[in-house]
Amino acid sequence: MTESPAGANDFIRDVVRSDVEQGTYGGRVQTRFPPEPNGYLHIGHAKAIVQNFGVAQDFGGLCNLRLDDTNPDTEETQYVASIKDDIGWLGYHPAVTVHASDYFETLYLWAEHLIDQGLAYVDDQDGDTLSVQRGGYGKPGIESPYRNRPAAESLELLRRMKAGDFPDGSRCLRAKIDMQAENMWLRDPVMYRIRHAVHHNTGDRWCIYPTYDWAHGQSDAIEGVTHSLCTLEFESHRPLYDWFLSKLPLGHTAPKQREFARLELTHTITSKRRLKKLVDDQLVTSWDDPRMPTLRGLRRRGYPSAAIRDFCTSIGATKTNSRHAIEELESFVRRELNTTAQRRMAVLHPLKLTITTWPTDEQGNPVVEHFELSNNPENSEDGTRRVAFSGELFIERDDFAEVPPSKFFRLSPGREVRLRGAYLVTATDVVKDDDGNVVEVLATHDPASKGGNSPDGRKVKSTMHWVSAAHATTAEVALYERLFTAEVPGDETGEPLDDLNPESRTLLTNCKVEAAMAGTAPGEVVQFERLGYFAADAQQALLFHRTVGLRDEWANIKKRNR
Ligand code: ATP
Ligand code: MG
């Protein structure tokens, strides 16, 4: 058994540990991650992945990927490929990849077995009638007139349903349990429905499809799953899960289902259906739009998979649903990137800074100097890089004020600041365009401050980033705000799209980045000093997505809530 990571001791691991100790499954531990291939995985799925694979890892067991493909109408193979890819990116490797549809034959034989035992029957009524007869809480159900038809008749009808003799929705197979049960799921739940549709895996072989409840626990049992971990909304299904398994000739100990809270984040939606709407209605560019909470989106945005894993591990498995602050996840992202991201300089809103005291060489060209700047002060192994400096630079427009407001310590006329790693400079004058906008700042430099040191210990209050105009490369930078303005999207109106932030993306097309940026690998995340972390787009060269800013807002939120 490998050691449990910190924080990964939860009620689920307690159950598993106790089963291992008692030898319930001969010491075996097996879990599965069972997504329905009807969309892309999102941050909520990451929690389920980390739980399922994490439990298996901690107890030396196995975790399968099971594509829960019992619904032919919404499932597509393109999703299957992306699901596999996303799990690999998160750092997990399924023991095997299987499909619920692999088990359709066994499920069918087991259904006939239940009919034989008098535990299932074919009902000739339609869905609407069934739902009326089902009753409600405190309202008993009504037994179907077909409930007590002879087993032989049900068997014959089920075979004809399977053979395609009946239209969609005209009949179904139901378990015969208890129409008076308090638990609604035990009121003769549907096991098979008729659906003449092409399935992405089984083609047109089947025209009856098992329901979730009939497929899930049975698939777990066939596969050898010991602990079937799912989200809280399935807690009320657990008695049915256990009922089916108790009636089948399994030949081994039945798996057990345990439930943990869904992961929800502020300013975020995690319903696949709603995420699909964002894409279909072109409210975002694609499933991997960097604003999407899909694993593809987060990846493109620059979220390291390690940060997502650590976050999911740290929140652990709980029994109550709660919404986590997105800032908490971001602080894991920042923590990880702080140690891994190389430092670079980039100017997002360039303003020209000309050093009037800068020397020229014998041909009359401005001298070019090079500074060795640290790639990552958090990790000396990352080394240094050479950054060119000359008399014409770009600085951030916000870092200059002709008339500085109070507490503004950056550059203004007569004020001295440090250009990071280079020189101390003092602004002397400005050049304006016809409209009176400052288009250039003139400054002098102190040659004795080479390397950015203060020669006589005199204080400068500000250190600013810069790029040399002659050596800079132009880049595009996409800045992101929350996709939803409300903490709980749709909280007020019930419609999350009402809270969509129309200004969640700003594209800056004339950013100036240091020359080293041209060599950034696709997907690599760097820190632009003072600005945040930025991910190089996987496809387009010199397009960077802001992953997160530098300020850790989570620390403040925690303090406020204390
Ligand atoms: P959606 O409602 O968005 O379609 P789902 O629960 O139907 O989500 P599945 O593909 O069936 O999505 O989910 C696969 C697994 O991931 C299930 O075990 C499910 O419980 C889990 N899961 C899905 N969403 C979350 C979430 N937000 N937090 C934790 N686990 C989740
Ligand atoms: Mg589902």
Side-chain angles (χ1 to χ4, degrees), residues 302 340-342 344 517 519-526 534-538 544 547:
T340 57
Q342 303 251 311
R344 295 287 183 265
M517 289 310 296
T520 312
E524 186 182 340
V525 184
V526 297
F534 293 76
D537 190 68
F544 299 93
T547 314

Side-chain angles (χ1 to χ4, degrees), residues 41-92:
L41 299 182
H42 52 60
I43 183 71
H45 291 113
K47 175 174 176 182
I49 293 171
V50 168
Q51 262 303 318
N52 279 293
F53 283 90
V55 163
Q57 263 168 17
D58 286 359
F59 292 93
L62 302 174
C63 179
N64 294 345
L65 166 61
R66 180 162 78 232
L67 297 152
D68 199 357
D69 55 353
T70 53
N71 184 358
D73 296 330
T74 51
E75 292 153 6
E76 288 179 33
T77 34
Q78 58 152 329
Y79 297 130
V80 175
S82 77
I83 287 170
K84 291 180 184 172
D85 185 59
D86 286 346
I87 294 172
W89 175 72
L90 257 194
Y92 297 102

Side-chain angles (χ1 to χ4, degrees), residues 352-353 388-394 466-473 512:
K352 196 161 175 195
L353 176 77
F389 184 94
S390 191
E392 288 195 357
L393 305 156
F394 289 116
W466 50 271
V467 292
S468 163
H471 304 89
T473 304
K512 301 292 180 185

Side-chain angles (χ1 to χ4, degrees), residues 135-355:
Y137 290 101
K139 187 169 166 242
I142 298 165
E143 293 191 353
S144 162
Y146 300 96
R147 194 171 200 265
N148 294 315
R149 74 187 344 161
E153 197 178 303
S154 280
L155 207 54
E156 163 74 16
L157 284 169
L158 180 64
R159 288 177 182 165
R160 291 185 57 199
M161 278 167 59
K162 177 174 178 253
D165 287 358
F166 307 119
D168 286 3
S170 59
R171 283 187 167 77
C172 62
L173 182 73
R174 299 176 72 179
K176 193 193 238 180
I177 309 181
D178 181 3
M179 288 307 288
Q180 315 306 322
E182 253 179 65
N183 183 316
M184 299 292 291
W185 297 106
L186 296 177
R187 295 189 182 179
D188 290 13
V190 172
M191 296 167 61
Y192 275 105
R193 54 215 149 85
I194 303 175
R195 186 80 190 89
H196 292 266
V198 177
H199 184 279
H200 74 99
N201 198 30
T202 57
D204 58 5
R205 252 192 75 213
W206 294 88
C207 61
I208 55 171
Y209 287 94
T211 53
Y212 171 88
D213 289 301
W214 173 237
H216 206 91
Q218 287 45 258
S219 302
D220 287 338
I222 294 168
E223 230 164 276
V225 166
T226 56
H227 298 84
S228 183
L229 312 178
C230 60
T231 36
L232 278 178
E233 67 270 27
F234 293 104
E235 197 171 13
S236 58
H237 297 236
R238 200 204 288 179
L240 177 57
Y241 182 100
D242 292 338
W243 187 90
F244 277 134
L245 290 172
S246 72
K247 305 297 180 199
L248 294 169
L250 300 182
H252 57 78
T253 309
K256 55 174 63 116
Q257 175 184 302
R258 288 295 179 272
E259 311 82 12
F260 58 86
R262 285 180 89 81
L263 167 60
E264 305 285 355
L265 290 173
T266 56
H267 303 284
T268 307
I269 57 172
T270 49
S271 145
K272 274 187 281 188
R273 184 174 55 81
R274 289 219 156 90
L275 292 174
K276 186 168 189 308
K277 190 165 164 55
L278 290 176
V279 178
D280 290 347
D281 293 358
Q282 300 182 348
L283 299 167
V284 294
T285 57
S286 53
W287 282 98
D288 68 348
D289 185 303
R291 291 166 293 180
M292 289 283 271
T294 51
L295 295 183
R296 328 224 100 189
L298 297 173
R299 178 177 176 178
R300 186 142 170 244
R301 177 84 172 254
Y303 277 41
S305 55
I308 297 176
R309 282 197 306 273
D310 291 350
F311 169 71
C312 291
T313 304
S314 122
I315 61 174
T318 55
K319 282 190 213 183
T320 41
N321 283 319
S322 68
R323 200 171 273 268
H324 288 263
I326 179 95
E327 290 85 355
E328 185 178 359
L329 170 58
E330 287 176 340
S331 84
F332 277 87
V333 170
R334 215 174 269 118
R335 197 180 311 166
E336 176 70 20
L337 292 176
N338 184 40
T339 59
T340 57
Q342 303 251 311
R343 273 47 170 180
R344 295 287 183 265
M345 288 197 285
V347 174
L348 301 189
H349 301 277
L351 175 64
K352 196 161 175 195
L353 176 77
T354 303
I355 301 180

Side-chain angles (χ1 to χ4, degrees), residues 298-550:
L298 297 173
R299 178 177 176 178
R300 186 142 170 244
R301 177 84 172 254
Y303 277 41
S305 55
I308 297 176
R309 282 197 306 273
D310 291 350
F311 169 71
C312 291
T313 304
S314 122
I315 61 174
T318 55
K319 282 190 213 183
T320 41
N321 283 319
S322 68
R323 200 171 273 268
H324 288 263
I326 179 95
E327 290 85 355
E328 185 178 359
L329 170 58
E330 287 176 340
S331 84
F332 277 87
V333 170
R334 215 174 269 118
R335 197 180 311 166
E336 176 70 20
L337 292 176
N338 184 40
T339 59
T340 57
Q342 303 251 311
R343 273 47 170 180
R344 295 287 183 265
M345 288 197 285
V347 174
L348 301 189
H349 301 277
L351 175 64
K352 196 161 175 195
L353 176 77
T354 303
I355 301 180
T356 51
T357 47
W358 192 250
T360 50
D361 64 14
E362 281 142 24
Q363 283 84 42
N365 297 319
V367 166
V368 176
E369 285 187 359
H370 289 92
F371 293 106
E372 286 291 328
L373 299 187
S374 165
N375 280 332
N376 187 353
E378 301 288 323
N379 184 0
S380 56
E381 282 173 19
D382 280 352
T384 58
R385 68 190 188 286
R386 272 162 67 82
V387 182
F389 184 94
S390 191
E392 288 195 357
L393 305 156
F394 289 116
I395 60 167
E396 209 67 65
R397 186 162 283 281
D398 276 0
D399 281 342
F400 177 79
E402 193 181 8
V403 183
S406 72
K407 303 231 172 92
F408 182 95
F409 299 118
R410 289 165 276 166
L411 197 59
S412 57
R415 173 89 47 82
E416 186 174 51
V417 300
R418 172 183 295 107
L419 295 180
R420 150 89 78 215
Y423 284 102
L424 303 187
V425 297
T426 304
T428 51
D429 207 351
V430 294
V431 178
K432 293 185 180 178
D433 65 11
D434 293 346
D435 298 328
N437 301 311
V438 175
V439 291
E440 185 180 352
V441 177
L442 306 180
T444 57
H445 77 301
D446 177 356
S449 66
K450 186 168 176 176
N453 307 309
S454 180
D456 50 9
R458 68 181 185 268
K459 292 255 180 309
V460 288
K461 284 200 166 151
S462 201
T463 298
M464 297 172 10
H465 60 275
W466 50 271
V467 292
S468 163
H471 304 89
T473 304
T474 301
E476 293 190 335
V477 171
L479 302 178
Y480 299 104
E481 300 296 331
R482 306 284 178 228
L483 185 52
F484 293 93
T485 47
E487 276 195 7
V488 182
D491 201 19
E492 300 224 324
T493 64
E495 174 47 65
L497 292 185
D498 291 344
D499 292 319
L500 199 70
N501 179 2
E503 277 152 25
S504 54
R505 180 179 197 258
T506 307
L507 185 68
L508 306 175
T509 54
N510 184 35
C511 305
K512 301 292 180 185
V513 297
E514 63 176 86
M517 289 310 296
T520 312
E524 186 182 340
V525 184
V526 297
Q527 184 192 104
F528 287 155
E529 294 205 28
R530 300 175 67 224
L531 298 174
Y533 295 98
F534 293 76
D537 190 68
Q539 264 106 49
Q540 186 185 328
L542 292 168
L543 166 63
F544 299 93
H545 306 283
R546 183 163 67 189
T547 314
V548 280
L550 291 177

